[in-house]
Amino acid sequence: MVKLQIIERMSHKPEEYMLITEDVHRIVEASGIEDGLAVVVTAHTTTGIIVNEALPCVESDISDMLERMAPLDADYAHAHFLPSYGATGNNSQGHLKSLVCGNSCMFPVIGGKIVCGGAQDIYLVDFDGPQKRKIYVEVMGEPKESNHKRKGEEK
Amino acid sequence: MVIDMHVHPVFYKDICDDEEELIFRENTFGVWKQGPMSFEEAFAEMDYGKIDKEAVLPLDVSTTAGGCVVTNEQIAKLVALRPDRLIGFASVDPHRKDALETLERAFTQLGLKGLKLNPSKQKFYPMDKELEPIYELCEKQNKPVIFHAGTSWEPDTPAKYSHPLAFEEIFIKYPNLRCCLAHFAWPWVREMCMLMLKYPNVYTDTSVLYLDSPEESILRLFTEDMGKRWAERAFANQILFASNTPRFRAFKIRRAIEKLPVNEETKAAILGGNAVRFLGME
């Protein structure tokens, strides 16, 4: 059994850390899946999905590290006219930070709930905001017993 | 007040109901891979960039491309929805037989605040005879004109129609008409400067991100393409802040302007004061 849900979030600044932990937990619990996997995937190339502790100081350290790795004023190649867009590309910083963070995360689902440590929060991070962003949450696995029974009864 | 004087609202959701029209817009205007965006999304960017208002520009290419990229009525609709954020301009294809009536209606009935023309896309020379009644109407009604000038990314846009020198006689014949040659008439920046020196009612704008990062592009414009003190000494009252959204992002252009080695008075004038005068809002 596979269940797919979409989360949409709007960022309001160029780099924004948006917690989606509760949304993901809720989607897993409503999925009807007892045991399996939950996958969170961003639909974009200038966002990241990260799992970390939701403390302002940790966010700040992550942000500072990424800024050191991909500073705003670096000499990027991706700063020229893009004919396929009809626009000048100038968001390499977002692409590189996205690359470092990755585009997804995955958690086990056991007993109908996501298996997530107490300090494990899930973030959608926008590195090219402000923009509206889309994330896919896919839950895959064995359906709950009640679903099995219902299916059996139907047969 | 900070005003972005050059925005093409081709993807504003409230005028994106028709899929076929949207495809026409993309292909005629030459911008792709961007979807319809709500006011919430558009204004989030303005809010972050501390941009109070933006001038939204239509494009009538009835005789050269068979339609409008955005119509005057669609501009009026957007402005009616958000008059606090949007300043509506009109467009008219000067080759239309009813060009003057169309423009008069845009000003008097739709309440649009100025005219946008693109000589390269609409295929006319700025001093063609058929333009004269249009300029006379704008002068009479105290409506400013924004011309596309210099190179254009729109398909089928020969630059010969938009060379800055092709505009000069307008400024001689209509000295009270406020005109903006957009994009610093890039790459003819020196010619643009010559026109601003000679004609105080001639303006230009900062939507020049044709190459490089916003910071590199704007810095080069203000310190290499122009002399380092020219903006302060000679053109402080004639340069308008503009982004050319959706080709460039407005807050990044503003960020680059804020970093320029020019005084704060000049920056304030560029970011909004000059637009207020250009629009006749003083």
Side-chain angles (χ1 to χ4, degrees), chain A residues 106-119:
Chain A
M106 189 162 63
F107 285 95
V109 176
I110 298 175
K113 290 186 181 297
I114 192 166
V115 180
C116 217

PDB file of all heavy atoms in Angstrom, chain A residues 106-119:
ATOM      1  N   MET A 106      14.094   9.958   5.201  1.00  0.00           N
ATOM      2  CA  MET A 106      13.303   8.725   5.268  1.00  0.00           C
ATOM      3  C   MET A 106      13.241   8.258   6.716  1.00  0.00           C
ATOM      4  O   MET A 106      14.242   8.364   7.449  1.00  0.00           O
ATOM      5  CB  MET A 106      13.975   7.663   4.387  1.00  0.00           C
ATOM      6  CG  MET A 106      13.168   6.419   4.189  1.00  0.00           C
ATOM      7  SD  MET A 106      13.781   5.497   2.754  1.00  0.00           S
ATOM      8  CE  MET A 106      15.420   5.072   3.245  1.00  0.00           C
ATOM      9  N   PHE A 107      12.070   7.743   7.128  1.00  0.00           N
ATOM     10  CA  PHE A 107      11.902   7.229   8.495  1.00  0.00           C
ATOM     11  C   PHE A 107      11.130   5.913   8.448  1.00  0.00           C
ATOM     12  O   PHE A 107      10.267   5.726   7.577  1.00  0.00           O
ATOM     13  CB  PHE A 107      11.091   8.221   9.340  1.00  0.00           C
ATOM     14  CG  PHE A 107      11.866   9.435   9.757  1.00  0.00           C
ATOM     15  CD1 PHE A 107      11.801  10.603   9.007  1.00  0.00           C
ATOM     16  CD2 PHE A 107      12.664   9.422  10.901  1.00  0.00           C
ATOM     17  CE1 PHE A 107      12.505  11.718   9.385  1.00  0.00           C
ATOM     18  CE2 PHE A 107      13.374  10.547  11.280  1.00  0.00           C
ATOM     19  CZ  PHE A 107      13.301  11.695  10.530  1.00  0.00           C
ATOM     20  N   PRO A 108      11.425   5.042   9.426  1.00  0.00           N
ATOM     21  CA  PRO A 108      10.588   3.842   9.540  1.00  0.00           C
ATOM     22  C   PRO A 108       9.197   4.201  10.058  1.00  0.00           C
ATOM     23  O   PRO A 108       9.034   5.183  10.775  1.00  0.00           O
ATOM     24  CB  PRO A 108      11.327   2.970  10.580  1.00  0.00           C
ATOM     25  CG  PRO A 108      12.605   3.657  10.879  1.00  0.00           C
ATOM     26  CD  PRO A 108      12.495   5.070  10.423  1.00  0.00           C
ATOM     27  N   VAL A 109       8.243   3.366   9.685  1.00  0.00           N
ATOM     28  CA  VAL A 109       6.891   3.469  10.248  1.00  0.00           C
ATOM     29  C   VAL A 109       6.611   2.146  10.959  1.00  0.00           C
ATOM     30  O   VAL A 109       6.692   1.082  10.349  1.00  0.00           O
ATOM     31  CB  VAL A 109       5.839   3.701   9.142  1.00  0.00           C
ATOM     32  CG1 VAL A 109       4.429   3.708   9.745  1.00  0.00           C
ATOM     33  CG2 VAL A 109       6.114   5.011   8.406  1.00  0.00           C
ATOM     34  N   ILE A 110       6.349   2.232  12.254  1.00  0.00           N
ATOM     35  CA  ILE A 110       6.077   1.022  13.043  1.00  0.00           C
ATOM     36  C   ILE A 110       4.822   1.277  13.877  1.00  0.00           C
ATOM     37  O   ILE A 110       4.706   2.321  14.525  1.00  0.00           O
ATOM     38  CB  ILE A 110       7.265   0.658  13.970  1.00  0.00           C
ATOM     39  CG1 ILE A 110       8.510   0.363  13.122  1.00  0.00           C
ATOM     40  CG2 ILE A 110       6.921  -0.553  14.851  1.00  0.00           C
ATOM     41  CD1 ILE A 110       9.780   0.120  13.929  1.00  0.00           C
ATOM     42  N   GLY A 111       3.927   0.343  13.837  1.00  0.00           N
ATOM     43  CA  GLY A 111       2.700   0.479  14.627  1.00  0.00           C
ATOM     44  C   GLY A 111       1.869   1.688  14.231  1.00  0.00           C
ATOM     45  O   GLY A 111       1.201   2.298  15.063  1.00  0.00           O
ATOM     46  N   GLY A 112       1.934   2.059  12.959  1.00  0.00           N
ATOM     47  CA  GLY A 112       1.121   3.181  12.465  1.00  0.00           C
ATOM     48  C   GLY A 112       1.685   4.545  12.779  1.00  0.00           C
ATOM     49  O   GLY A 112       1.036   5.559  12.516  1.00  0.00           O
ATOM     50  N   LYS A 113       2.890   4.592  13.361  1.00  0.00           N
ATOM     51  CA  LYS A 113       3.496   5.875  13.703  1.00  0.00           C
ATOM     52  C   LYS A 113       4.899   5.974  13.123  1.00  0.00           C
ATOM     53  O   LYS A 113       5.587   4.971  12.972  1.00  0.00           O
ATOM     54  CB  LYS A 113       3.566   6.049  15.234  1.00  0.00           C
ATOM     55  CG  LYS A 113       2.214   6.245  15.888  1.00  0.00           C
ATOM     56  CD  LYS A 113       2.394   6.550  17.372  1.00  0.00           C
ATOM     57  CE  LYS A 113       1.053   6.735  18.074  1.00  0.00           C
ATOM     58  NZ  LYS A 113       0.300   7.889  17.556  1.00  0.00           N
ATOM     59  N   ILE A 114       5.324   7.198  12.874  1.00  0.00           N
ATOM     60  CA  ILE A 114       6.678   7.426  12.385  1.00  0.00           C
ATOM     61  C   ILE A 114       7.653   7.215  13.545  1.00  0.00           C
ATOM     62  O   ILE A 114       7.368   7.602  14.681  1.00  0.00           O
ATOM     63  CB  ILE A 114       6.795   8.841  11.778  1.00  0.00           C
ATOM     64  CG1 ILE A 114       8.096   9.009  10.985  1.00  0.00           C
ATOM     65  CG2 ILE A 114       6.690   9.923  12.836  1.00  0.00           C
ATOM     66  CD1 ILE A 114       8.090  10.253  10.089  1.00  0.00           C
ATOM     67  N   VAL A 115       8.787   6.587  13.267  1.00  0.00           N
ATOM     68  CA  VAL A 115       9.792   6.360  14.306  1.00  0.00           C
ATOM     69  C   VAL A 115      10.820   7.480  14.223  1.00  0.00           C
ATOM     70  O   VAL A 115      11.705   7.486  13.373  1.00  0.00           O
ATOM     71  CB  VAL A 115      10.478   4.991  14.143  1.00  0.00           C
ATOM     72  CG1 VAL A 115      11.522   4.780  15.260  1.00  0.00           C
ATOM     73  CG2 VAL A 115       9.464   3.878  14.167  1.00  0.00           C
ATOM     74  N   CYS A 116      10.651   8.424  15.112  1.00  0.00           N
ATOM     75  CA  CYS A 116      11.410   9.662  15.033  1.00  0.00           C
ATOM     76  C   CYS A 116      11.934   9.970  16.425  1.00  0.00           C
ATOM     77  O   CYS A 116      11.151  10.000  17.378  1.00  0.00           O
ATOM     78  CB  CYS A 116      10.425  10.748  14.599  1.00  0.00           C
ATOM     79  SG  CYS A 116      11.089  11.973  13.501  1.00  0.00           S
ATOM     80  N   GLY A 117      13.234  10.179  16.577  1.00  0.00           N
ATOM     81  CA  GLY A 117      13.797  10.509  17.879  1.00  0.00           C
ATOM     82  C   GLY A 117      13.261  11.840  18.402  1.00  0.00           C
ATOM     83  O   GLY A 117      12.804  12.674  17.613  1.00  0.00           O
ATOM     84  N   GLY A 118      13.364  12.017  19.690  1.00  0.00           N
ATOM     85  CA  GLY A 118      12.822  13.220  20.311  1.00  0.00           C
ATOM     86  C   GLY A 118      13.453  14.498  19.769  1.00  0.00           C
ATOM     87  O   GLY A 118      12.825  15.559  19.787  1.00  0.00           O
ATOM     88  N   ALA A 119      14.714  14.413  19.346  1.00  0.00           N
ATOM     89  CA  ALA A 119      15.398  15.613  18.822  1.00  0.00           C
ATOM     90  C   ALA A 119      15.355  15.690  17.308  1.00  0.00           C
ATOM     91  O   ALA A 119      15.925  16.593  16.713  1.00  0.00           O
ATOM     92  CB  ALA A 119      16.844  15.619  19.305  1.00  0.00           C
TER      93      ALA A 119
END
